Amino acid sequence: CVRTLSGHTDIVTSVCVTANGQNVVSGSNDETVRVWSLHGFLTTLNVSSQVLTVSVTANEKHVLLGLKDNTVQVWSLDSGECVRILYRHTDIVNSVCVTPDGKHIVSGSTDKTVRVWSLDSGE
């Protein structure tokens, strides 16, 4: 192990690395998302539910979250604010990713569905 990133207060449920390879995003049952450089802590996003999965868009503008409250949330990495909440799942969202062109979010849920959303409109 060349580096340990500590700071979450509960189980870390998901991690991903930004496309440029410089930052790590982690989600936790402590209802936070932490953004790290490979050298240390950068910022915390305070979320309203346990975070089960995280993904970052290729342009590194947004982090996508799958939450225990059945939602997918889109957060701006620039502002640190939630910019969209997607509500169609009826059970926990345990997988989320973004298409390579950055136009669509794909989410998977314990409700046995996979949903495809427009990143821009949320539809």
Side-chain angles (χ1 to χ4, degrees):
C1 176
V2 296
R3 180 149 335 269
T4 300
L5 304 172
S6 299
H8 284 292
T9 60
D10 204 336
I11 298 165
V12 175
T13 55
S14 184
V15 296
C16 67
V17 177
T18 57
N20 69 8
Q22 298 301 307
N23 297 310
V24 174
V25 177
S26 59
S28 171
N29 281 352
D30 66 8
E31 300 185 0
T32 68
V33 172
R34 290 184 177 254
V35 182
W36 317 81
S37 76
L38 292 180
H39 306 290
F41 175 71
L42 291 175
T43 192
T44 299
L45 307 176
N46 291 302
V47 184
S48 59
S49 180
Q50 290 178 341
V51 180
L52 302 178
T53 184
V54 297
S55 184
V56 177
T57 58
N59 65 9
E60 301 177 20
K61 291 189 180 286
H62 296 98
V63 61
L64 315 173
L65 311 177
L67 302 178
K68 190 172 182 179
D69 70 0
N70 309 346
T71 66
V72 174
Q73 293 187 3
V74 181
W75 287 68
S76 166
L77 285 175
D78 291 333
S79 70
E81 300 290 325
C82 181
V83 296
R84 186 163 290 111
I85 301 175
L86 308 174
Y87 290 101
R88 300 268 189 243
H89 283 294
T90 59
D91 208 340
I92 63 173
V93 179
N94 49 26
S95 185
V96 66
C97 65
V98 63
T99 57
D101 63 9
K103 293 183 178 181
H104 294 92
I105 300 165
V106 182
S107 59
S109 170
T110 306
D111 68 10
K112 303 180 185 86
T113 65
V114 173
R115 297 188 182 273
V116 180
W117 318 78
S118 165
L119 180 61
D120 289 336
S121 69
E123 302 210 5

